[in-house]
Amino acid sequence: MNIVLHADRLTKTFQVGGEAFHAVKGVDLQIGQGEFVAIMGPSGSGKSTLLHMLSGLEKATNGRVTICGLNLMKCNDNELTRLRSEKIGFVFQFFSLIPVLTAYENVTLPMLMAGRKDSAVRNRATLLLTQMGLGEHMHKRPKELSGGQQQRVAIARALLPNPPILMADEPTGNLDTKTGMDVLQLLRNTCKEPQRHSLVLVTHDPWVAAFANRVLFVRDGEIVGEVASSDLGQDHERPLAFAAAIQKKWEMLMS
Ligand SMILES: Nc1ncnc2c1ncn2[C@@H]1O[C@H](COP(=O)(O)OP(=O)(O)OP(=O)(O)O)[C@@H](O)[C@H]1O
Ligand SMILES: [Mg+2]
């Protein structure tokens, strides 16, 4: 498998009231092209800190991250900004759309700001919004859209530069169950041919994690276990058995 993201002995230490607090402790992981990996752990276990280091949003105290062959620790601020805009798409729990802009404008804005005003960008924005089921809603503002529609706008925005890696932090945390499942299905589809994006998703919910190919369990800043849908000997189009396996492993690891 073609590895697009590689982390070695990744560590984050915060100074809190004069004392060192180790939020992430020596994490190793690899993400393959087209792979959907969920990082699952309780609140405060270090998931978001880990994701921020993987994407270069936050500097690691120690260790190394390599994305598409580029060592993040050796990048200056400009190089990091470019890497984040070209190689990584972000989807967050709060959709972080700009309220005065339409769905279409929200999707194209980051690329316009990067100086891309060509018809390829406009066509791709229209295509992605249509694929996200928003063909009819492109010219609405966020407040005229439902939560699930807003999150799909955010996904279209993340996908516009065609980044090899998508990172999502609790992307369904603000959605009802059914809408959340639809959004997860859309995210999962982007990992398939022909796009084959890689997806790293943070969650504390086994039902969400069950959409992934592989689940890494985090506790107190460390990866303490892993379960893959392929371990079950059935394909991950059937998330029910995988969710049960995740739940079982989670209870074992967290007890
Ligand atoms: N800037 C900071 N300074 C000090 N401590 C921090 C900082 N950011 C995070 N922490 C601590 O690091 C630990 C991990 O935080 P993190 O946000 O990564 O957890 P999380 O697993 O994403 O939790 P949640 O599920 O609640 O989002 C927590 O104990 C948190 O208080
Ligand atoms: Mg978090």
Side-chain angles (χ1 to χ4, degrees), residues 44 46-49 169-170 202:
K47 306 179 297 294
S48 295
T49 307
D169 198 343
E170 299 280 6
V202 162

PDB file of all heavy atoms in Angstrom, residues 44 46-49 169-170 202, ligand 2:
ATOM      1  N   GLY A  44     -10.490  14.061  26.309  1.00  0.00           N
ATOM      2  CA  GLY A  44      -9.228  14.391  26.978  1.00  0.00           C
ATOM      3  C   GLY A  44      -8.112  13.394  26.731  1.00  0.00           C
ATOM      4  O   GLY A  44      -7.017  13.537  27.282  1.00  0.00           O
ATOM      5  N   GLY A  46      -6.425  12.964  24.031  1.00  0.00           N
ATOM      6  CA  GLY A  46      -5.365  13.482  23.153  1.00  0.00           C
ATOM      7  C   GLY A  46      -5.656  13.349  21.668  1.00  0.00           C
ATOM      8  O   GLY A  46      -4.773  13.580  20.837  1.00  0.00           O
ATOM      9  N   LYS A  47      -6.897  13.037  21.295  1.00  0.00           N
ATOM     10  CA  LYS A  47      -7.248  12.822  19.884  1.00  0.00           C
ATOM     11  C   LYS A  47      -7.039  14.080  19.042  1.00  0.00           C
ATOM     12  O   LYS A  47      -6.420  14.024  17.985  1.00  0.00           O
ATOM     13  CB  LYS A  47      -8.715  12.369  19.754  1.00  0.00           C
ATOM     14  CG  LYS A  47      -9.078  11.164  20.571  1.00  0.00           C
ATOM     15  CD  LYS A  47     -10.541  10.789  20.398  1.00  0.00           C
ATOM     16  CE  LYS A  47     -11.549  11.838  20.870  1.00  0.00           C
ATOM     17  NZ  LYS A  47     -11.544  12.073  22.338  1.00  0.00           N
ATOM     18  N   SER A  48      -7.615  15.197  19.505  1.00  0.00           N
ATOM     19  CA  SER A  48      -7.514  16.428  18.707  1.00  0.00           C
ATOM     20  C   SER A  48      -6.073  16.901  18.646  1.00  0.00           C
ATOM     21  O   SER A  48      -5.598  17.330  17.584  1.00  0.00           O
ATOM     22  CB  SER A  48      -8.398  17.534  19.298  1.00  0.00           C
ATOM     23  OG  SER A  48      -9.749  17.163  19.206  1.00  0.00           O
ATOM     24  N   THR A  49      -5.357  16.807  19.776  1.00  0.00           N
ATOM     25  CA  THR A  49      -3.944  17.201  19.790  1.00  0.00           C
ATOM     26  C   THR A  49      -3.170  16.374  18.766  1.00  0.00           C
ATOM     27  O   THR A  49      -2.359  16.912  18.007  1.00  0.00           O
ATOM     28  CB  THR A  49      -3.358  16.995  21.205  1.00  0.00           C
ATOM     29  OG1 THR A  49      -4.196  17.680  22.135  1.00  0.00           O
ATOM     30  CG2 THR A  49      -1.951  17.527  21.307  1.00  0.00           C
ATOM     31  N   ASP A 169     -12.504  16.022  12.566  1.00  0.00           N
ATOM     32  CA  ASP A 169     -12.581  15.934  14.023  1.00  0.00           C
ATOM     33  C   ASP A 169     -14.051  15.963  14.424  1.00  0.00           C
ATOM     34  O   ASP A 169     -14.705  16.997  14.295  1.00  0.00           O
ATOM     35  CB  ASP A 169     -11.810  17.107  14.657  1.00  0.00           C
ATOM     36  CG  ASP A 169     -11.479  16.859  16.127  1.00  0.00           C
ATOM     37  OD1 ASP A 169     -12.105  15.962  16.734  1.00  0.00           O
ATOM     38  OD2 ASP A 169     -10.605  17.563  16.668  1.00  0.00           O
ATOM     39  N   GLU A 170     -14.577  14.836  14.861  1.00  0.00           N
ATOM     40  CA  GLU A 170     -15.991  14.697  15.243  1.00  0.00           C
ATOM     41  C   GLU A 170     -16.921  15.347  14.200  1.00  0.00           C
ATOM     42  O   GLU A 170     -17.752  16.187  14.544  1.00  0.00           O
ATOM     43  CB  GLU A 170     -16.250  15.345  16.618  1.00  0.00           C
ATOM     44  CG  GLU A 170     -15.471  14.743  17.761  1.00  0.00           C
ATOM     45  CD  GLU A 170     -16.064  13.442  18.311  1.00  0.00           C
ATOM     46  OE1 GLU A 170     -17.048  12.926  17.725  1.00  0.00           O
ATOM     47  OE2 GLU A 170     -15.522  12.951  19.309  1.00  0.00           O
ATOM     48  N   VAL A 202     -11.535  11.554  13.824  1.00  0.00           N
ATOM     49  CA  VAL A 202     -11.499  11.459  15.281  1.00  0.00           C
ATOM     50  C   VAL A 202     -12.922  11.363  15.824  1.00  0.00           C
ATOM     51  O   VAL A 202     -13.796  12.122  15.408  1.00  0.00           O
ATOM     52  CB  VAL A 202     -10.806  12.719  15.853  1.00  0.00           C
ATOM     53  CG1 VAL A 202     -11.120  12.900  17.318  1.00  0.00           C
ATOM     54  CG2 VAL A 202      -9.303  12.649  15.629  1.00  0.00           C
TER      55      VAL A 202
HETATM   56 MG    MG B   2     -11.112  16.828  20.668  1.00  0.00          MG
END
